[in-house]
Amino acid sequence: EAQVTQNPRYLITVTGKKLTVTCSQNMNHEYMSWYRQDPGLGLRQIYYSMNVEVTDKGDVPEGYKVSRKEKRNFPLILESPSPNQTSLYFCASSPSGLAGGYYNEQFFGPGTRLTVL
Amino acid sequence: GENVEQHPSTLSVQEGDSAVIKCTYSDSASNYFPWYKQELGKGPQLIIDIRSNVGEKKDQRIAVTLNKTAKHFSLHITETQPEDSAVYFCAARGSNTGNQFYFGTGTSLTVIP
C-alpha cells in the first residue's frame, strides 16, 4: 500500500532530551516535507527536501534539524526540545516539488503528537 | 514570504445546502493553490487544486475558483453530506523557490443531517 509512515505516533518527553521522529514513504517521491499543526495557526512548514541531500528551511525551522540521506526517509530531529515545540507534526511527500511541475499533490502521514514537558 | 488567510474558521450548514470557504493570498507570483480535507485523527488529504493559469475547476460536488487580480480563491461544496464534515485547509505555493507551501488556518465544517 502506498503510504507515508511516521514513528512514533505519540511521544511525551522532557525539555532538552534529544528526539527523532522518523518519516518514510514507499512511493519513490522526490519531495518530502515536515509541518507542524497548532490550533488557530493551521499547518506551518518546518523543512522540505527536493531530493536526496537537498534540504531547505520552511517558515518555522528554528529548533529543528532534518536530513535526507535516502530518498524514502526524512527524519525530523529536535536536538533540545522545548515546551513551545509541543505540537502535532505531519510528514508529507510529493512526486515532484518543482515549480511548474505537474505532480504537486502532497501525501500526508498520520501525524505525530509530541508533548514536551 | 506568502501570507494566506482563510475564512470562516467554523461553518455549519444543513445537509444538502452549499458551503463556501474563502482564502486570500499576498504573493501575486504564487502559482498553485491546493485544498486539503482533514478528518479527525488523520493527516490532510488533497481534494482539489488549481493552477494560476486556470480560473475554475470542478470535480463532482467540489469546485474551486481563482481570482488572480484580487488574489483570492474559494472552495465550493454543493449538496453537502454529513461525511463532508471535516477541517478544510487552503494553501498556496510560494514563488521564491516554488517549493514552499503556505497554509491557511483551517475551516471546521459541520454538516447537520
Tab-separated table of all heavy atoms in Angstrom, chain B residues 16-80:
chain	number	residue	atom	x	y	z
B	16	GLY	N	-27.402	19.053	2.307
B	16	GLY	CA	-27.999	19.417	1.032
B	16	GLY	C	-27.716	20.861	0.614
B	16	GLY	O	-27.829	21.193	-0.571
B	17	ASP	N	-27.365	21.703	1.582
B	17	ASP	CA	-27.018	23.091	1.254
B	17	ASP	C	-25.591	23.159	0.724
B	17	ASP	O	-24.851	22.175	0.746
B	17	ASP	CB	-27.163	23.979	2.492
B	17	ASP	CG	-28.615	24.235	2.856
B	17	ASP	OD1	-29.495	23.881	2.034
B	17	ASP	OD2	-28.856	24.775	3.947
B	18	SER	N	-25.215	24.339	0.264
B	18	SER	CA	-23.854	24.556	-0.227
B	18	SER	C	-22.977	25.186	0.852
B	18	SER	O	-23.474	25.864	1.758
B	18	SER	CB	-23.881	25.482	-1.454
B	18	SER	OG	-24.550	24.876	-2.532
B	19	ALA	N	-21.691	24.950	0.744
B	19	ALA	CA	-20.715	25.553	1.660
B	19	ALA	C	-19.632	26.239	0.836
B	19	ALA	O	-19.195	25.707	-0.191
B	19	ALA	CB	-20.094	24.477	2.555
B	20	VAL	N	-19.229	27.417	1.301
B	20	VAL	CA	-18.188	28.168	0.612
B	20	VAL	C	-17.126	28.600	1.617
B	20	VAL	O	-17.446	29.152	2.673
B	20	VAL	CB	-18.752	29.428	-0.084
B	20	VAL	CG1	-17.621	30.185	-0.791
B	20	VAL	CG2	-19.844	29.048	-1.077
B	21	ILE	N	-15.893	28.334	1.297
B	21	ILE	CA	-14.756	28.726	2.130
B	21	ILE	C	-13.846	29.592	1.271
B	21	ILE	O	-13.560	29.246	0.121
B	21	ILE	CB	-13.992	27.491	2.641
B	21	ILE	CG1	-14.932	26.572	3.440
B	21	ILE	CG2	-12.813	27.924	3.513
B	21	ILE	CD1	-14.324	25.223	3.788
B	22	LYS	N	-13.396	30.710	1.856
B	22	LYS	CA	-12.628	31.671	1.063
B	22	LYS	C	-11.223	31.860	1.623
B	22	LYS	O	-11.025	31.844	2.838
B	22	LYS	CB	-13.355	33.017	1.048
B	22	LYS	CG	-14.727	32.944	0.402
B	22	LYS	CD	-15.411	34.283	0.360
B	22	LYS	CE	-16.768	34.175	-0.326
B	22	LYS	NZ	-17.449	35.482	-0.417
B	23	CYS	N	-10.283	32.049	0.714
B	23	CYS	CA	-8.899	32.313	1.098
B	23	CYS	C	-8.339	33.463	0.275
B	23	CYS	O	-8.691	33.620	-0.898
B	23	CYS	CB	-8.041	31.066	0.898
B	23	CYS	SG	-8.369	29.772	2.103
B	24	THR	N	-7.469	34.237	0.915
B	24	THR	CA	-6.737	35.270	0.193
B	24	THR	C	-5.248	35.010	0.357
B	24	THR	O	-4.821	34.373	1.328
B	24	THR	CB	-7.067	36.674	0.723
B	24	THR	OG1	-6.699	36.753	2.119
B	24	THR	CG2	-8.549	36.983	0.587
B	25	TYR	N	-4.468	35.466	-0.598
B	25	TYR	CA	-3.029	35.309	-0.510
B	25	TYR	C	-2.358	36.628	-0.847
B	25	TYR	O	-2.978	37.513	-1.432
B	25	TYR	CB	-2.546	34.177	-1.431
B	25	TYR	CG	-2.829	34.370	-2.903
B	25	TYR	CD1	-1.862	34.845	-3.774
B	25	TYR	CD2	-4.082	34.035	-3.435
B	25	TYR	CE1	-2.119	34.995	-5.119
B	25	TYR	CE2	-4.349	34.187	-4.784
B	25	TYR	CZ	-3.361	34.669	-5.630
B	25	TYR	OH	-3.627	34.824	-6.970
B	26	SER	N	-1.091	36.754	-0.476
B	26	SER	CA	-0.432	38.048	-0.614
B	26	SER	C	0.562	38.112	-1.770
B	26	SER	O	0.803	39.193	-2.326
B	26	SER	CB	0.289	38.399	0.694
B	26	SER	OG	1.272	37.417	0.998
B	27	ASP	N	1.139	36.977	-2.127
B	27	ASP	CA	2.187	36.955	-3.149
B	27	ASP	C	1.564	36.750	-4.533
B	27	ASP	O	1.095	35.658	-4.841
B	27	ASP	CB	3.180	35.835	-2.836
B	27	ASP	CG	4.370	35.829	-3.783
B	27	ASP	OD1	4.357	36.575	-4.784
B	27	ASP	OD2	5.315	35.063	-3.534
B	28	SER	N	1.576	37.772	-5.329
B	28	SER	CA	0.945	37.689	-6.647
B	28	SER	C	1.624	36.680	-7.566
B	28	SER	O	1.061	36.290	-8.582
B	28	SER	CB	0.929	39.077	-7.311
B	28	SER	OG	2.250	39.581	-7.420
B	29	ALA	N	2.827	36.255	-7.216
B	29	ALA	CA	3.536	35.283	-8.052
B	29	ALA	C	3.225	33.836	-7.671
B	29	ALA	O	3.666	32.910	-8.350
B	29	ALA	CB	5.041	35.524	-7.970
B	30	SER	N	2.469	33.612	-6.602
B	30	SER	CA	2.098	32.238	-6.240
B	30	SER	C	1.321	31.607	-7.377
B	30	SER	O	0.492	32.265	-8.016
B	30	SER	CB	1.259	32.235	-4.960
B	30	SER	OG	2.053	32.559	-3.848
B	31	ASN	N	1.578	30.311	-7.641
B	31	ASN	CA	1.042	29.730	-8.870
B	31	ASN	C	0.291	28.423	-8.703
B	31	ASN	O	-0.163	27.826	-9.679
B	31	ASN	CB	2.180	29.520	-9.875
B	31	ASN	CG	3.262	28.614	-9.322
B	31	ASN	OD1	3.119	28.043	-8.241
B	31	ASN	ND2	4.341	28.489	-10.053
B	32	TYR	N	0.145	27.967	-7.464
B	32	TYR	CA	-0.528	26.680	-7.262
B	32	TYR	C	-1.279	26.730	-5.945
B	32	TYR	O	-0.705	27.120	-4.920
B	32	TYR	CB	0.515	25.553	-7.263
B	32	TYR	CG	-0.019	24.193	-6.899
B	32	TYR	CD1	-0.930	23.525	-7.713
B	32	TYR	CD2	0.401	23.557	-5.729
B	32	TYR	CE1	-1.409	22.278	-7.373
B	32	TYR	CE2	-0.074	22.307	-5.398
B	32	TYR	CZ	-0.975	21.671	-6.217
B	32	TYR	OH	-1.444	20.434	-5.886
B	33	PHE	N	-2.574	26.326	-5.987
B	33	PHE	CA	-3.449	26.516	-4.832
B	33	PHE	C	-4.233	25.224	-4.554
B	33	PHE	O	-5.279	24.975	-5.150
B	33	PHE	CB	-4.406	27.687	-5.086
B	33	PHE	CG	-3.692	28.946	-5.489
B	33	PHE	CD1	-3.473	29.235	-6.829
B	33	PHE	CD2	-3.218	29.824	-4.528
B	33	PHE	CE1	-2.797	30.387	-7.207
B	33	PHE	CE2	-2.548	30.976	-4.900
B	33	PHE	CZ	-2.336	31.265	-6.233
B	34	PRO	N	-3.753	24.402	-3.637
B	34	PRO	CA	-4.473	23.171	-3.308
B	34	PRO	C	-5.415	23.368	-2.123
B	34	PRO	O	-5.230	24.267	-1.302
B	34	PRO	CB	-3.334	22.211	-2.931
B	34	PRO	CG	-2.262	23.111	-2.373
B	34	PRO	CD	-2.406	24.436	-3.069
B	35	TRP	N	-6.403	22.499	-2.042
B	35	TRP	CA	-7.303	22.435	-0.898
B	35	TRP	C	-7.202	21.034	-0.288
B	35	TRP	O	-7.228	20.037	-1.010
B	35	TRP	CB	-8.747	22.688	-1.318
B	35	TRP	CG	-9.050	24.122	-1.600
B	35	TRP	CD1	-8.941	24.774	-2.795
B	35	TRP	CD2	-9.533	25.097	-0.665
B	35	TRP	NE1	-9.326	26.085	-2.666
B	35	TRP	CE2	-9.691	26.308	-1.366
B	35	TRP	CE3	-9.864	25.056	0.698
B	35	TRP	CZ2	-10.159	27.475	-0.758
B	35	TRP	CZ3	-10.324	26.217	1.302
B	35	TRP	CH2	-10.468	27.413	0.571
B	36	TYR	N	-7.096	21.009	1.033
B	36	TYR	CA	-6.971	19.738	1.734
B	36	TYR	C	-8.120	19.568	2.717
B	36	TYR	O	-8.592	20.525	3.323
B	36	TYR	CB	-5.643	19.669	2.491
B	36	TYR	CG	-4.453	19.441	1.600
B	36	TYR	CD1	-3.816	20.506	0.970
B	36	TYR	CD2	-3.970	18.157	1.370
B	36	TYR	CE1	-2.731	20.301	0.141
B	36	TYR	CE2	-2.884	17.937	0.549
B	36	TYR	CZ	-2.272	19.009	-0.063
B	36	TYR	OH	-1.201	18.800	-0.892
B	37	LYS	N	-8.530	18.321	2.898
B	37	LYS	CA	-9.558	17.949	3.872
B	37	LYS	C	-8.893	17.104	4.944
B	37	LYS	O	-8.163	16.162	4.634
B	37	LYS	CB	-10.665	17.152	3.183
B	37	LYS	CG	-11.737	16.604	4.113
B	37	LYS	CD	-12.742	15.765	3.314
B	37	LYS	CE	-13.841	15.213	4.203
B	37	LYS	NZ	-14.782	14.348	3.448
B	38	GLN	N	-9.134	17.467	6.202
B	38	GLN	CA	-8.557	16.701	7.303
B	38	GLN	C	-9.665	16.162	8.192
B	38	GLN	O	-10.384	16.930	8.842
B	38	GLN	CB	-7.596	17.556	8.127
B	38	GLN	CG	-6.869	16.772	9.210
B	38	GLN	CD	-5.901	17.632	9.997
B	38	GLN	OE1	-6.065	18.840	10.112
B	38	GLN	NE2	-4.867	17.007	10.554
B	39	GLU	N	-9.779	14.873	8.233
B	39	GLU	CA	-10.740	14.225	9.129
B	39	GLU	C	-10.083	13.988	10.483
B	39	GLU	O	-8.850	13.949	10.596
B	39	GLU	CB	-11.246	12.925	8.506
B	39	GLU	CG	-12.008	13.173	7.209
B	39	GLU	CD	-12.459	11.908	6.523
B	39	GLU	OE1	-11.861	10.840	6.783
B	39	GLU	OE2	-13.407	11.984	5.729
B	40	LEU	N	-10.912	13.821	11.476
B	40	LEU	CA	-10.417	13.724	12.850
B	40	LEU	C	-9.404	12.605	12.990
B	40	LEU	O	-9.650	11.461	12.587
B	40	LEU	CB	-11.607	13.485	13.788
B	40	LEU	CG	-11.371	13.785	15.262
B	40	LEU	CD1	-11.021	15.242	15.463
B	40	LEU	CD2	-12.606	13.405	16.082
B	41	GLY	N	-8.227	12.937	13.521
B	41	GLY	CA	-7.211	11.925	13.784
B	41	GLY	C	-6.410	11.487	12.568
B	41	GLY	O	-5.635	10.528	12.653
B	42	LYS	N	-6.592	12.192	11.451
B	42	LYS	CA	-5.886	11.802	10.230
B	42	LYS	C	-5.072	12.965	9.669
B	42	LYS	O	-5.241	14.118	10.069
B	42	LYS	CB	-6.879	11.318	9.177
B	42	LYS	CG	-7.637	10.066	9.573
B	42	LYS	CD	-8.530	9.598	8.436
B	42	LYS	CE	-9.256	8.319	8.803
B	42	LYS	NZ	-10.120	7.840	7.692
B	43	GLY	N	-4.222	12.649	8.730
B	43	GLY	CA	-3.490	13.698	8.035
B	43	GLY	C	-4.341	14.326	6.952
B	43	GLY	O	-5.315	13.730	6.485
B	44	PRO	N	-4.001	15.534	6.527
B	44	PRO	CA	-4.759	16.181	5.443
B	44	PRO	C	-4.682	15.368	4.158
B	44	PRO	O	-3.692	14.694	3.892
B	44	PRO	CB	-4.044	17.531	5.284
B	44	PRO	CG	-3.327	17.756	6.571
B	44	PRO	CD	-2.931	16.392	7.046
B	45	GLN	N	-5.743	15.491	3.355
B	45	GLN	CA	-5.806	14.789	2.084
B	45	GLN	C	-6.261	15.768	1.012
B	45	GLN	O	-7.255	16.481	1.195
B	45	GLN	CB	-6.766	13.606	2.177
B	45	GLN	CG	-6.801	12.738	0.938
B	45	GLN	CD	-7.603	11.463	1.157
B	45	GLN	OE1	-8.321	11.323	2.134
B	45	GLN	NE2	-7.482	10.528	0.236
B	46	LEU	N	-5.555	15.785	-0.100
B	46	LEU	CA	-5.901	16.693	-1.190
B	46	LEU	C	-7.278	16.363	-1.751
B	46	LEU	O	-7.588	15.206	-2.029
B	46	LEU	CB	-4.872	16.585	-2.310
B	46	LEU	CG	-5.086	17.514	-3.503
B	46	LEU	CD1	-4.659	18.933	-3.137
B	46	LEU	CD2	-4.311	17.034	-4.736
B	47	ILE	N	-8.118	17.392	-1.917
B	47	ILE	CA	-9.429	17.161	-2.525
B	47	ILE	C	-9.551	17.833	-3.886
B	47	ILE	O	-10.258	17.352	-4.769
B	47	ILE	CB	-10.583	17.615	-1.612
B	47	ILE	CG1	-10.427	19.089	-1.185
B	47	ILE	CG2	-10.706	16.701	-0.404
B	47	ILE	CD1	-11.644	19.631	-0.450
B	48	ILE	N	-8.866	18.930	-4.080
B	48	ILE	CA	-8.878	19.613	-5.368
B	48	ILE	C	-7.767	20.643	-5.360
B	48	ILE	O	-7.351	21.114	-4.299
B	48	ILE	CB	-10.254	20.271	-5.640
B	48	ILE	CG1	-10.420	20.650	-7.115
B	48	ILE	CG2	-10.479	21.492	-4.743
B	48	ILE	CD1	-11.852	20.994	-7.512
B	49	ASP	N	-7.268	20.969	-6.545
B	49	ASP	CA	-6.244	22.004	-6.644
B	49	ASP	C	-6.444	22.800	-7.927
B	49	ASP	O	-7.168	22.372	-8.834
B	49	ASP	CB	-4.838	21.422	-6.571
B	49	ASP	CG	-4.573	20.348	-7.638
B	49	ASP	OD1	-5.389	20.201	-8.580
B	49	ASP	OD2	-3.553	19.648	-7.513
B	50	ILE	N	-5.806	23.944	-7.989
B	50	ILE	CA	-5.941	24.783	-9.175
B	50	ILE	C	-4.629	25.514	-9.413
B	50	ILE	O	-3.933	25.889	-8.467
B	50	ILE	CB	-7.121	25.771	-9.028
B	50	ILE	CG1	-7.459	26.448	-10.359
B	50	ILE	CG2	-6.837	26.817	-7.948
B	50	ILE	CD1	-8.789	27.181	-10.352
B	51	ARG	N	-4.293	25.682	-10.678
B	51	ARG	CA	-3.077	26.402	-11.037
B	51	ARG	C	-3.432	27.818	-11.453
B	51	ARG	O	-4.576	28.104	-11.810
B	51	ARG	CB	-2.344	25.666	-12.157
B	51	ARG	CG	-1.971	24.280	-11.738
B	51	ARG	CD	-1.279	23.484	-12.823
B	51	ARG	NE	-1.233	22.085	-12.438
B	51	ARG	CZ	-0.371	21.588	-11.570
B	51	ARG	NH1	0.523	22.365	-11.027
B	51	ARG	NH2	-0.399	20.310	-11.256
B	52	SER	N	-2.445	28.674	-11.445
B	52	SER	CA	-2.709	30.101	-11.639
B	52	SER	C	-3.183	30.442	-13.043
B	52	SER	O	-3.687	31.540	-13.280
B	52	SER	CB	-1.464	30.925	-11.300
B	52	SER	OG	-0.372	30.517	-12.082
B	53	ASN	N	-3.029	29.516	-13.978
B	53	ASN	CA	-3.464	29.812	-15.341
B	53	ASN	C	-4.893	29.346	-15.615
B	53	ASN	O	-5.358	29.360	-16.753
B	53	ASN	CB	-2.509	29.179	-16.355
B	53	ASN	CG	-2.413	27.673	-16.202
B	53	ASN	OD1	-2.902	27.117	-15.216
B	53	ASN	ND2	-1.795	27.017	-17.153
B	54	VAL	N	-5.587	28.943	-14.536
B	54	VAL	CA	-6.963	28.451	-14.662
B	54	VAL	C	-7.853	29.240	-13.709
B	54	VAL	O	-7.447	29.542	-12.587
B	54	VAL	CB	-7.027	26.946	-14.325
B	54	VAL	CG1	-8.462	26.450	-14.346
B	54	VAL	CG2	-6.166	26.151	-15.295
B	55	GLY	N	-9.076	29.565	-14.123
B	55	GLY	CA	-9.959	30.352	-13.276
B	55	GLY	C	-10.902	29.522	-12.423
B	55	GLY	O	-11.332	29.952	-11.362
B	56	GLU	N	-11.224	28.308	-12.897
B	56	GLU	CA	-12.168	27.476	-12.160
B	56	GLU	C	-11.906	26.010	-12.479
B	56	GLU	O	-11.499	25.659	-13.593
B	56	GLU	CB	-13.611	27.833	-12.548
B	56	GLU	CG	-14.669	27.057	-11.785
B	56	GLU	CD	-16.090	27.497	-12.112
B	56	GLU	OE1	-16.255	28.404	-12.957
B	56	GLU	OE2	-17.033	26.958	-11.513
B	57	LYS	N	-12.167	25.168	-11.501
B	57	LYS	CA	-12.016	23.729	-11.695
B	57	LYS	C	-13.084	23.031	-10.882
B	57	LYS	O	-13.366	23.423	-9.747
B	57	LYS	CB	-10.613	23.284	-11.247
B	57	LYS	CG	-10.300	21.823	-11.473
B	57	LYS	CD	-8.862	21.542	-11.049
B	57	LYS	CE	-8.494	20.088	-11.209
B	57	LYS	NZ	-7.092	19.838	-10.775
B	58	LYS	N	-13.693	22.002	-11.485
B	58	LYS	CA	-14.767	21.280	-10.793
B	58	LYS	C	-14.467	19.794	-10.758
B	58	LYS	O	-13.871	19.236	-11.690
B	58	LYS	CB	-16.101	21.501	-11.517
B	58	LYS	CG	-16.670	22.886	-11.380
B	58	LYS	CD	-18.036	22.990	-12.040
B	58	LYS	CE	-19.098	22.245	-11.248
B	58	LYS	NZ	-20.461	22.478	-11.778
B	59	ASP	N	-14.899	19.168	-9.683
B	59	ASP	CA	-14.788	17.714	-9.559
B	59	ASP	C	-16.013	17.253	-8.797
B	59	ASP	O	-16.057	17.314	-7.576
B	59	ASP	CB	-13.503	17.329	-8.827
B	59	ASP	CG	-13.324	15.818	-8.738
B	59	ASP	OD1	-14.161	15.070	-9.286
B	59	ASP	OD2	-12.332	15.386	-8.116
B	60	GLN	N	-17.022	16.846	-9.519
B	60	GLN	CA	-18.298	16.392	-8.962
B	60	GLN	C	-18.905	17.505	-8.098
B	60	GLN	O	-19.256	18.552	-8.629
B	60	GLN	CB	-18.094	15.089	-8.191
B	60	GLN	CG	-17.568	13.963	-9.084
B	60	GLN	CD	-17.398	12.649	-8.341
B	60	GLN	OE1	-17.788	12.484	-7.182
B	60	GLN	NE2	-16.830	11.670	-9.011
B	61	ARG	N	-19.023	17.318	-6.800
B	61	ARG	CA	-19.679	18.319	-5.946
B	61	ARG	C	-18.729	19.425	-5.465
B	61	ARG	O	-19.142	20.338	-4.751
B	61	ARG	CB	-20.301	17.643	-4.726
B	61	ARG	CG	-21.392	16.639	-5.048
B	61	ARG	CD	-22.056	16.117	-3.774
B	61	ARG	NE	-21.114	15.378	-2.924
B	61	ARG	CZ	-20.628	15.821	-1.769
B	61	ARG	NH1	-20.968	17.021	-1.307
B	61	ARG	NH2	-19.796	15.082	-1.067
B	62	ILE	N	-17.485	19.329	-5.832
B	62	ILE	CA	-16.481	20.271	-5.339
B	62	ILE	C	-15.980	21.139	-6.488
B	62	ILE	O	-15.736	20.630	-7.589
B	62	ILE	CB	-15.307	19.510	-4.702
B	62	ILE	CG1	-15.778	18.773	-3.447
B	62	ILE	CG2	-14.159	20.452	-4.350
B	62	ILE	CD1	-14.741	17.866	-2.843
B	63	ALA	N	-15.818	22.419	-6.210
B	63	ALA	CA	-15.273	23.328	-7.207
B	63	ALA	C	-14.367	24.332	-6.519
B	63	ALA	O	-14.552	24.651	-5.337
B	63	ALA	CB	-16.385	24.063	-7.949
B	64	VAL	N	-13.399	24.803	-7.253
B	64	VAL	CA	-12.520	25.852	-6.753
B	64	VAL	C	-12.468	26.963	-7.795
B	64	VAL	O	-12.425	26.694	-8.998
B	64	VAL	CB	-11.109	25.319	-6.426
B	64	VAL	CG1	-10.472	24.645	-7.626
B	64	VAL	CG2	-10.221	26.425	-5.894
B	65	THR	N	-12.523	28.197	-7.333
B	65	THR	CA	-12.402	29.346	-8.221
B	65	THR	C	-11.204	30.175	-7.792
B	65	THR	O	-10.872	30.242	-6.602
B	65	THR	CB	-13.672	30.220	-8.188
B	65	THR	OG1	-13.904	30.659	-6.838
B	65	THR	CG2	-14.887	29.437	-8.668
B	66	LEU	N	-10.570	30.788	-8.764
B	66	LEU	CA	-9.385	31.597	-8.501
B	66	LEU	C	-9.533	32.946	-9.175
B	66	LEU	O	-9.817	33.022	-10.370
B	66	LEU	CB	-8.132	30.893	-9.016
B	66	LEU	CG	-6.827	31.695	-9.006
B	66	LEU	CD1	-6.411	32.027	-7.578
B	66	LEU	CD2	-5.734	30.925	-9.729
B	67	ASN	N	-9.335	34.012	-8.401
B	67	ASN	CA	-9.322	35.365	-8.942
B	67	ASN	C	-7.925	35.929	-8.711
B	67	ASN	O	-7.593	36.374	-7.605
B	67	ASN	CB	-10.386	36.226	-8.246
B	67	ASN	CG	-10.479	37.629	-8.830
B	67	ASN	OD1	-9.469	38.212	-9.228
B	67	ASN	ND2	-11.668	38.180	-8.872
B	68	LYS	N	-7.094	35.885	-9.746
B	68	LYS	CA	-5.707	36.312	-9.598
B	68	LYS	C	-5.594	37.803	-9.332
B	68	LYS	O	-4.714	38.256	-8.594
B	68	LYS	CB	-4.915	35.936	-10.843
B	68	LYS	CG	-4.583	34.468	-10.947
B	68	LYS	CD	-3.971	34.122	-12.285
B	68	LYS	CE	-2.760	34.954	-12.608
B	68	LYS	NZ	-2.177	34.568	-13.923
B	69	THR	N	-6.467	38.579	-9.928
B	69	THR	CA	-6.410	40.029	-9.758
B	69	THR	C	-6.639	40.404	-8.301
B	69	THR	O	-5.917	41.230	-7.731
B	69	THR	CB	-7.451	40.708	-10.650
B	69	THR	OG1	-7.231	40.339	-12.007
B	69	THR	CG2	-7.366	42.224	-10.510
B	70	ALA	N	-7.654	39.779	-7.710
B	70	ALA	CA	-7.991	40.070	-6.318
B	70	ALA	C	-7.173	39.220	-5.349
B	70	ALA	O	-7.251	39.419	-4.135
B	70	ALA	CB	-9.483	39.846	-6.089
B	71	LYS	N	-6.436	38.264	-5.846
B	71	LYS	CA	-5.636	37.350	-5.036
B	71	LYS	C	-6.502	36.613	-4.021
B	71	LYS	O	-6.209	36.606	-2.815
B	71	LYS	CB	-4.463	38.087	-4.376
B	71	LYS	CG	-3.393	38.486	-5.390
B	71	LYS	CD	-2.148	39.067	-4.728
B	71	LYS	CE	-2.414	40.484	-4.301
B	71	LYS	NZ	-1.192	41.166	-3.784
B	72	HIS	N	-7.576	36.023	-4.514
B	72	HIS	CA	-8.340	35.152	-3.633
B	72	HIS	C	-8.867	33.939	-4.380
B	72	HIS	O	-9.020	33.952	-5.608
B	72	HIS	CB	-9.442	35.906	-2.878
B	72	HIS	CG	-10.572	36.405	-3.713
B	72	HIS	ND1	-11.507	35.584	-4.322
B	72	HIS	CD2	-10.947	37.662	-4.005
B	72	HIS	CE1	-12.392	36.319	-4.957
B	72	HIS	NE2	-12.076	37.574	-4.795
B	73	PHE	N	-9.071	32.880	-3.632
B	73	PHE	CA	-9.594	31.640	-4.202
B	73	PHE	C	-10.559	31.024	-3.205
B	73	PHE	O	-10.455	31.255	-1.996
B	73	PHE	CB	-8.468	30.673	-4.603
B	73	PHE	CG	-7.497	30.295	-3.517
B	73	PHE	CD1	-7.447	28.991	-3.046
B	73	PHE	CD2	-6.593	31.225	-3.002
B	73	PHE	CE1	-6.531	28.618	-2.067
B	73	PHE	CE2	-5.677	30.864	-2.028
B	73	PHE	CZ	-5.647	29.553	-1.555
B	74	SER	N	-11.522	30.291	-3.736
B	74	SER	CA	-12.619	29.788	-2.903
B	74	SER	C	-12.907	28.328	-3.200
B	74	SER	O	-12.756	27.874	-4.335
B	74	SER	CB	-13.897	30.605	-3.136
B	74	SER	OG	-13.699	31.973	-2.836
B	75	LEU	N	-13.359	27.641	-2.167
B	75	LEU	CA	-13.809	26.246	-2.295
B	75	LEU	C	-15.322	26.232	-2.181
B	75	LEU	O	-15.885	26.826	-1.253
B	75	LEU	CB	-13.193	25.385	-1.188
B	75	LEU	CG	-13.623	23.921	-1.160
B	75	LEU	CD1	-13.022	23.169	-2.345
B	75	LEU	CD2	-13.214	23.260	0.157
B	76	HIS	N	-15.968	25.559	-3.122
B	76	HIS	CA	-17.418	25.445	-3.117
B	76	HIS	C	-17.785	23.964	-3.043
B	76	HIS	O	-17.324	23.175	-3.871
B	76	HIS	CB	-18.013	26.049	-4.402
B	76	HIS	CG	-17.612	27.466	-4.651
B	76	HIS	ND1	-18.480	28.532	-4.472
B	76	HIS	CD2	-16.435	28.005	-5.058
B	76	HIS	CE1	-17.852	29.661	-4.761
B	76	HIS	NE2	-16.616	29.373	-5.114
B	77	ILE	N	-18.586	23.631	-2.052
B	77	ILE	CA	-19.098	22.260	-1.940
B	77	ILE	C	-20.613	22.334	-2.072
B	77	ILE	O	-21.283	23.018	-1.285
B	77	ILE	CB	-18.722	21.616	-0.589
B	77	ILE	CG1	-17.205	21.689	-0.357
B	77	ILE	CG2	-19.195	20.164	-0.548
B	77	ILE	CD1	-16.777	21.201	1.017
B	78	THR	N	-21.143	21.661	-3.050
B	78	THR	CA	-22.599	21.650	-3.238
B	78	THR	C	-23.191	20.349	-2.701
B	78	THR	O	-22.471	19.350	-2.509
B	78	THR	CB	-22.960	21.787	-4.726
B	78	THR	OG1	-22.358	20.702	-5.441
B	78	THR	CG2	-22.450	23.102	-5.300
B	79	GLU	N	-24.499	20.398	-2.452
B	79	GLU	CA	-25.230	19.216	-1.958
B	79	GLU	C	-24.458	18.532	-0.820
B	79	GLU	O	-24.171	17.337	-0.874
B	79	GLU	CB	-25.474	18.237	-3.109
B	79	GLU	CG	-26.283	18.842	-4.247
B	79	GLU	CD	-26.325	17.926	-5.471
B	79	GLU	OE1	-26.104	16.709	-5.312
B	79	GLU	OE2	-26.565	18.444	-6.576
B	80	THR	N	-24.165	19.287	0.188
B	80	THR	CA	-23.328	18.766	1.271
B	80	THR	C	-23.947	17.545	1.950
B	80	THR	O	-25.176	17.418	2.057
B	80	THR	CB	-23.069	19.847	2.328
B	80	THR	OG1	-24.322	20.390	2.773
B	80	THR	CG2	-22.192	20.955	1.773
